[in-house]
Amino acid sequence: MANRIKKGDQVVVTAGKDKGKKGDVVRVDGDRVVVSNVNVVKRHTKPNPQAGIAGGVVESERSIHISNVALFNPATGKGERIGFKVLEDGRKLRVFRSSGEALDA
């Protein structure tokens, strides 16, 4: 089954501490996604001169579960569910469930 959410999609977080935030999908790892400026954590890092790491407090984005994000529909301004439509030539097309509007051309 093809993923409903792909790299580069704009999504809205539907659950958790960052609920309501919008961002672009940076990476998809199975059932987890990394979204830009969402689930940002601080990590205190020791300096390592051999590896060229300066050390200090480093902020990075962590993954969240794919069920906690919904694809952003610019027409309605909301996060919506995604379905699939199979075309005559056998290609799968992602469509919004509410309107049936196609995502990919």
Side-chain angles (χ1 to χ4, degrees), residues 12-22 37-40 64:
V12 178
V13 180
T14 58
K17 66 175 185 174
D18 294 318
K19 181 177 180 175
K21 285 189 179 179
K22 281 191 283 189
N37 299 323
V38 171
N39 200 17
V40 177
I64 58 176

Side-chain angles (χ1 to χ4, degrees):
M1 187 72 187
N3 262 347
R4 286 168 162 66
I5 299 193
K6 297 180 180 179
K7 178 181 174 180
D9 287 344
Q10 191 173 17
V11 295
V12 178
V13 180
T14 58
K17 66 175 185 174
D18 294 318
K19 181 177 180 175
K21 285 189 179 179
K22 281 191 283 189
D24 294 326
V25 175
V26 178
R27 189 173 69 240
V28 178
D29 295 326
D31 62 347
R32 300 189 72 81
V33 292
V34 177
V35 181
S36 61
N37 299 323
V38 171
N39 200 17
V40 177
V41 296
K42 291 183 178 180
R43 179 180 169 89
H44 298 265
T45 307
K46 276 187 169 181
N48 186 350
Q50 292 177 340
I53 299 172
V57 181
V58 178
E59 288 189 354
S60 64
E61 298 149 347
R62 297 285 187 235
S63 66
I64 58 176
H65 200 269
I66 203 164
S67 66
N68 294 331
V69 296
L71 211 60
F72 181 72
N73 188 351
T76 62
K78 298 180 186 175
E80 296 190 6
R81 296 188 301 157
I82 298 297
F84 289 97
K85 185 184 284 186
V86 180
L87 300 176
E88 294 83 28
D89 58 357
R91 291 186 298 135
K92 270 189 180 178
L93 192 65
R94 294 188 301 166
V95 295
F96 287 111
R97 290 253 177 106
S98 61
S99 62
E101 178 188 342
L103 242 76
D104 319 298

